[in-house]
Amino acid sequence: MTGTLTVDRHAKTRLSRRATGIIMAIVGVLIVAFAIFLVTSSPNPDALPTTIGVSLNSFFIWIGGLSPLAQIPLVIVAFGVVFAIILVLVEFAPRPGAGYFWLRLIASFLIPLLAFLLLRPYQNAVVYVAAIALLAGALLFFADYRARAGTGYVFQLIIFMAPAAVLILVGLIYPALSTIYQSFFDKTGQQFVGLGNYVWVFTNPDGFWSVINTVIWAALAPTISIVLGLAYAVFIDRARGERFLKVLVFMPVAISFVGAGIIFKFVYDYRQGDQIGILNAIVTAFGGKPVGWLDAQPFINTFCLLAIFIWTQTGFAMVFLSAAIKAVPAEQNEAAALDGANAWQLFRNVTVPGIRSSLIVVLTTITIASLKVYDIVAVMTGGRSNSTVVAFEMVNQQQRFQSYGHSSALALVLFLFVMPLIVYNVRQMRKQKEIR
């Protein structure tokens, strides 16, 4: 009999959890649907703005007209007020009692409404704003009421997470979805062209060469940087003046890509007559003719630009891998040496496996940096002579040609290049967590 009651209780609990999940899913879908209608619906130009008398836009316009000495304390005060409200809500959320119950209930509905009205003055959309606020408040209060950890737990958790979640939503998720949407329209954003922009990326010379060069950068930049950085780390650690030598190798890391590009412009300088570029001065000294390195094709100018990036990243790889090598237990090297392993075998079978996680971190970091490189190409060639890359061409299409469709398609292609690295990194982190 007791067992039957226990089974029935568990069954009811499962049903109640399932019902809770269904209700929350339905309300969440409704919130998303209203938000989509709100964003995509065209505003009525004759309708008056629906506001509470002030919005973030009007606040920033007002504060922008003040002197810098007045702006700083006002921004600090505004930040302090918002922070204080969050702390008060977090502090009183889990407390029992009728007063705290009403505090949570009112805050659940009032905060979403105020947030929407502060973000922008919606025209002819008060119904959508009210519906989203009511649904969001109901969802928050219902989830808080059904929480197993006690009343106020979910409310407290959401208040903690809301500021960061709003920033991620406004600054990352919404622009990403908007970019994907825009990639299927023409340069004006009015006419649907399907996959036409993606066809342009892989058939037009500008788009095609940007993809090819980006693949070259992603394949060679991390590989060469890691090989050189690892070699520096191994040999400099055994040399006298280790700190001084590491500083010399690491110095280019502190130079911006723009600064490095300007420096190497003098290296690759090409002109008739006296050569001030180091590379052409060497060529002419041995009887050769000066070469326009930044216009030389195919791929020569790309390799010249790639050398700048490698110069700035090798020091980073060296410092990171040097620290990892020193963390390899000395007992492993001693045991392998007693077994008759030579220096190369020690390096290959002991050192490299011992720094595998560090190699992965350096590899993914430099690869991602190479995929989104912009400054070097912009300063050195401006993308001419088939030296463009996806990140540069994305900005070039948007700013120079006002082609938002092509720019959005290039942005999505760049995202697809980066995504496998992110997935691989996450999987490696999970494996390391399981081992620990």
Side-chain angles (χ1 to χ4, degrees):
M1 186 68 179
T2 305
T4 304
L5 291 175
T6 303
V7 171
D8 291 340
R9 190 180 297 112
H10 286 309
K12 291 180 180 179
T13 303
R14 283 198 299 271
L15 288 174
S16 64
R17 291 179 186 173
R18 185 179 303 170
T20 300
I22 292 173
I23 292 172
M24 293 180 66
I26 293 173
V27 176
V29 170
L30 289 175
I31 292 174
V32 173
F34 277 119
I36 292 174
F37 288 139
L38 176 63
V39 173
T40 57
S41 60
S42 56
N44 183 0
D46 299 326
L48 296 175
T50 304
T51 69
I52 55 176
V54 65
S55 66
L56 287 181
N57 188 37
S58 61
F59 171 75
F60 287 128
I61 292 175
W62 171 73
I63 202 172
L66 302 177
S67 66
L69 293 178
Q71 291 176 5
I72 296 174
L74 284 174
V75 170
I76 294 175
V77 169
F79 177 80
V81 169
V82 175
F83 187 69
I85 293 173
I86 292 174
L87 286 181
V88 169
L89 292 173
V90 169
E91 175 66 23
F92 290 103
R95 297 187 181 184
Y100 300 119
F101 166 82
W102 287 106
L103 175 66
R104 289 193 299 272
L105 180 62
I106 293 172
S108 296
F109 291 93
L110 189 60
I111 290 176
L113 180 62
L114 290 176
F116 271 98
L117 293 178
L118 282 172
L119 284 176
R120 56 172 287 191
Y122 291 95
Q123 290 184 332
N124 200 29
V126 65
V127 175
Y128 290 126
V129 173
I132 292 173
L134 290 174
L135 287 171
L139 181 63
L140 173 58
F141 189 77
F142 180 71
D144 182 65
Y145 176 75
R146 298 292 296 172
R148 295 180 60 190
T151 303
Y153 172 76
V154 173
F155 183 87
Q156 188 181 47
L157 181 65
I158 291 178
I159 292 298
F160 259 127
M161 295 176 59
V166 170
L167 290 175
I168 292 174
L169 179 65
V170 175
L172 183 64
I173 296 177
Y174 173 73
L177 295 177
S178 177
T179 300
I180 295 173
Y181 176 80
Q182 189 68 46
S183 69
F184 297 104
F185 288 81
D186 66 350
K187 65 184 301 181
T188 63
Q190 302 296 324
Q191 184 177 354
F192 180 77
V193 295
L195 298 176
N197 291 322
Y198 296 96
V199 173
W200 176 91
V201 169
F202 293 98
T203 56
N204 183 273
D206 291 335
F208 173 77
W209 281 107
S210 69
V211 173
I212 294 298
N213 289 332
T214 299
V215 172
I216 292 173
W217 279 71
L220 296 182
T223 304
I224 299 175
S225 297
I226 287 178
V227 169
L228 294 177
L230 189 57
Y232 281 133
V234 172
F235 292 113
I236 291 180
D237 281 348
R238 301 177 182 178
R240 292 182 179 179
E242 173 190 350
R243 294 182 181 179
F244 176 74
L245 294 174
K246 283 186 175 180
V247 167
L248 290 179
V249 178
F250 187 76
M251 281 178 63
V253 180
I255 302 174
S256 67
F257 286 147
V258 174
I262 293 173
I263 292 171
F264 271 81
K265 260 198 168 183
F266 291 102
V267 175
Y268 299 135
D269 184 77
Y270 166 74
R271 62 183 64 197
Q272 297 296 330
D274 294 335
Q275 300 299 321
I276 65 170
I278 297 174
L279 205 53
N280 275 326
I282 295 173
V283 171
T284 55
F286 285 94
K289 294 182 178 180
V291 179
W293 299 103
L294 298 180
D295 293 316
Q297 300 181 57
F299 303 121
I300 294 176
N301 50 6
T302 296
F303 293 143
C304 290
L305 301 182
L306 186 59
I308 306 172
F309 182 82
I310 293 171
W311 180 66
T312 61
Q313 297 299 308
T314 299
F316 163 75
M318 177 203 66
V319 171
F320 205 100
L321 296 177
S322 176
I325 290 173
K326 291 183 177 180
V328 176
E331 294 81 3
Q332 295 183 4
N333 285 313
E334 293 173 359
L338 290 175
D339 289 337
N342 55 36
W344 170 247
Q345 291 172 333
L346 286 173
F347 175 76
R348 187 183 63 183
N349 299 321
V350 178
T351 303
V352 172
I355 63 172
R356 183 174 180 274
S357 59
S358 299
L359 284 171
I360 292 173
V361 171
V362 175
L363 177 68
T364 53
T365 301
I366 298 179
T367 303
I368 292 174
S370 66
L371 286 173
K372 61 182 184 180
V373 69
Y374 168 85
D375 313 65
I376 294 175
V377 177
V379 172
M380 297 293 288
T381 65
R384 71 176 186 272
S385 303
N386 296 332
S387 63
T388 184
V389 291
V390 170
F392 174 82
E393 196 60 36
M394 175 182 67
V395 178
N396 191 44
Q397 290 294 322
Q398 190 269 328
Q399 292 187 350
R400 183 179 176 186
F401 301 107
Q402 301 296 309
S403 181
Y404 295 95
H406 292 161
S407 178
S408 299
L410 286 164
L412 193 58
V413 170
L414 183 61
F415 173 75
L416 294 176
F417 281 162
V418 175
M419 181 55 65
L421 296 171
I422 297 174
V423 173
Y424 178 74
N425 238 9
V426 171
R427 293 182 63 182
Q428 292 299 319
M429 291 173 64
R430 286 181 178 176
K431 288 181 180 179
Q432 292 177 9
K433 188 176 181 180
E434 292 174 359
I435 294 174
R436 292 173 185 173

